[in-house]
Amino acid sequence: MVVTKDLSRLGRNYVQSGLYIETYFPEHEVRFVAILDNIDTAYDTSNNDIAPFKSILNEMYAKDTSKKINSVLQSKRSLGQYLGTAPYGYKKDPQNKYHLIIDEEASNVVKLIYEKYLAGFGTMQIADYLSKNKIPIPSDYNKKKRGVKSINYGLWQQSTVRFILSNEIYTGTVIQGKRKKVSFKSKKFINLPEEDWIKVENMHEAIISKEDFERAKRIINATKGSRVVQNDYLFKGLLRCYDCKGYIGIRSADKNGNIYGRCQRYGRFGKFDVCSPHNFNYQVFEEQMLEVLRQICKKYTNRKKLQQIAKSTETEQSKEFNIKNQLQACKQSIESETKKLDLMYDDRLAGIISIDEYIKNANRIKELIKSYEENIKALEKELSGEKCKDDTDDKLDNLITEFLNMENPTKEIIREFIEKIEIHSDKQVDIYFNFKPLQEMDLNKFVCAKKKYENKIA
Ligand SMILES: [Zn+2]
């Protein structure tokens, strides 16, 4: 027996409630009673016969209410009144529930995410950074705000970072009506095209400027298609083991999402005491590596500027003149030293000096001549190399400018710069550049710190 207060409680959908009353209940010998509508299927009364009409009326009533509610909501949306729950970074204004105000703590995280992203970090690096620094993920943050005490902090997902990076709400714009219900009877939603969205600008205080948001959007769109191979790491193929000179392999993420590099030869032959693990956290390494590269590039451009200032005081011609003078001096010195050697030989023949004395002095003079010859070689190289050196300089300058401007450095540009990177067993990292001026910078050695993710998966 099924008892309801009235017919509408059984269901507002006349197709379904009709099916129950007319087919399902009789077939399963279920008695149905709707008290206020005087319906009782145990008795054959005329009241039972009008049940289908009542169902239709109930449905029309529901449809009408839904329409009224919808039009109210729609007008609120078109005024830019915010109807949903407050997005991460904002909270509802206690004075006006349709207005958003900034949530200080979370908005700082939003700012940090944009800042890092626009500085060239990838969504994965940002997610890992937040996890490592124990920033609660939005759902945990909401729980904390609601006063839930014991929270297992989760790890940040790339998708969450991406969602925050593509949510226009942070520019102060309210966007609603992105989707609508198929019908008031259904719980299904369909997505609406962007031109149908209800977008109202400057409804609340912005966390991110419109310019920064647009920049982030451009990068997201630009990198969308390029992330085909997930295991294509930025420094893959460039990493070598310092001790055995073999490749460093990058292993896929473990259950905590950490990616480790390890000497491949050790991985294969370690059981025969070949090499040692050279284990390091690749994500930490990549982050630090890019930072070091940026530092080197910045230092290089700064030094270059200084050199140019120095150069402007010393003209090209006088530089060439200087080199030629030095060349001349070296050649003269060789000539005079050779003459000394001849004279000493004569002295030896005449018995003026002993054999020991002769050998000792002759060797000294020969060394001297050799060093002059080396000087000449270097000076000549400098003289002839002046022009072609400018070409590689230009190429390097362009590369550096491109790299420093790049939001997400590509594998290609990294490869232009770096010949190889060697990892020591104590995690010292040596960088070998394709460009001599970069190779000469200090900073080319750094230690990849071992950092552990202390967060547990919720
Ligand atoms: Zn090795």
Side-chain angles (χ1 to χ4, degrees), residues 241 243-246 263 265-266 275-276 278:
C241 169
D243 294 297
C244 72
K245 305 295 173 198
C263 170
R265 226 163 258 175
Y266 171 81
C275 211
S276 58
H278 294 78

Side-chain angles (χ1 to χ4, degrees), residues 77-325:
R77 285 189 191 112
S78 60
L79 289 172
Q81 295 184 334
Y82 192 81
L83 299 171
T85 49
Y88 183 71
Y90 286 106
K91 56 188 177 192
K92 292 252 172 157
D93 186 345
Q95 255 98 63
N96 173 4
K97 65 172 176 170
Y98 301 121
H99 183 239
L100 295 174
I101 53 173
I102 284 184
D103 177 322
E104 214 52 56
E105 192 182 337
S107 72
N108 284 334
V109 179
V110 172
K111 273 183 208 154
L112 184 81
I113 290 175
Y114 274 83
E115 221 168 81
K116 287 216 163 250
Y117 193 66
L118 292 176
F121 290 92
T123 48
M124 198 209 298
Q125 288 166 297
I126 296 171
D128 292 349
Y129 175 86
L130 296 172
S131 305
K132 267 182 278 171
N133 286 284
K134 295 195 168 171
I135 311 273
I137 59 171
S139 59
D140 289 337
Y141 182 74
N142 286 339
K143 275 187 214 159
K144 207 176 109 188
K145 282 254 136 165
R146 284 204 306 269
V148 179
K149 285 217 175 74
S150 61
I151 294 166
N152 275 329
Y153 287 113
L155 293 173
W156 282 77
Q157 302 276 350
Q158 264 176 286
S159 55
T160 315
V161 173
R162 202 169 266 259
F163 180 76
I164 288 171
L165 286 170
S166 45
N167 196 345
E168 209 170 338
I169 195 113
Y170 298 121
T171 65
T173 301
V174 171
I175 301 179
Q176 292 176 112
K178 286 186 180 178
R179 47 183 211 159
K180 69 167 191 189
K181 261 189 175 176
V182 180
S183 102
F184 76 98
K185 286 183 192 175
S186 168
K187 285 193 168 65
K188 258 194 183 158
F189 283 91
I190 50 166
N191 292 325
L192 292 174
E194 197 169 336
E195 59 264 28
D196 290 348
W197 295 356
I198 306 164
K199 220 174 183 181
V200 191
E201 291 184 8
N202 304 320
M203 287 311 297
H204 49 261
E205 198 183 330
I207 296 177
I208 304 298
S209 73
K210 287 200 166 65
E211 295 73 42
D212 283 352
F213 177 79
E214 286 304 319
R215 273 179 70 204
K217 194 174 163 186
R218 275 201 303 276
I219 304 167
I220 287 180
N221 290 337
T223 50
K224 233 176 215 165
S226 65
R227 326 185 38 91
V228 199
V229 191
Q230 231 204 331
N231 288 342
D232 201 16
Y233 303 109
L234 210 50
F235 292 99
K236 199 177 169 185
L238 290 172
L239 304 175
R240 300 279 193 292
C241 169
Y242 172 79
D243 294 297
C244 72
K245 305 295 173 198
Y247 278 99
I248 294 283
I250 302 169
R251 310 162 82 195
S252 45
D254 66 12
K255 62 182 186 328
N256 295 320
N258 295 334
I259 297 163
Y260 284 97
R262 191 174 73 167
C263 170
Q264 274 188 344
R265 226 163 258 175
Y266 171 81
R268 171 72 185 81
F269 302 112
K271 55 192 166 193
F272 302 110
D273 276 341
V274 173
C275 211
S276 58
H278 294 78
N279 252 340
F280 62 95
N281 184 315
Y282 177 78
Q283 287 137 308
V284 174
F285 166 81
E286 188 178 292
E287 204 174 302
Q288 292 180 337
M289 187 72 196
L290 285 172
E291 191 47 43
V292 168
L293 281 182
R294 284 198 180 91
Q295 277 175 31
I296 290 176
C297 286
K298 275 179 197 151
K299 210 172 164 187
Y300 172 80
T301 36
N302 285 343
R303 205 178 66 173
K304 179 108 187 186
K305 268 181 213 148
L306 283 177
Q307 276 174 345
Q308 270 160 352
I309 294 166
K311 225 180 186 176
S312 64
T313 58
E314 175 199 15
T315 62
E316 280 298 300
Q317 282 92 339
S318 75
K319 194 181 176 189
E320 197 180 315
F321 183 74
N322 261 340
I323 294 173
K324 279 182 176 162
N325 268 352

Side-chain angles (χ1 to χ4, degrees), residues 424-437:
H424 295 240
S425 55
D426 62 358
K427 297 186 175 37
Q428 183 185 307
V429 178
D430 299 343
I431 313 170
Y432 294 84
F433 285 100
N434 286 323
F435 295 90
K436 214 177 150 208

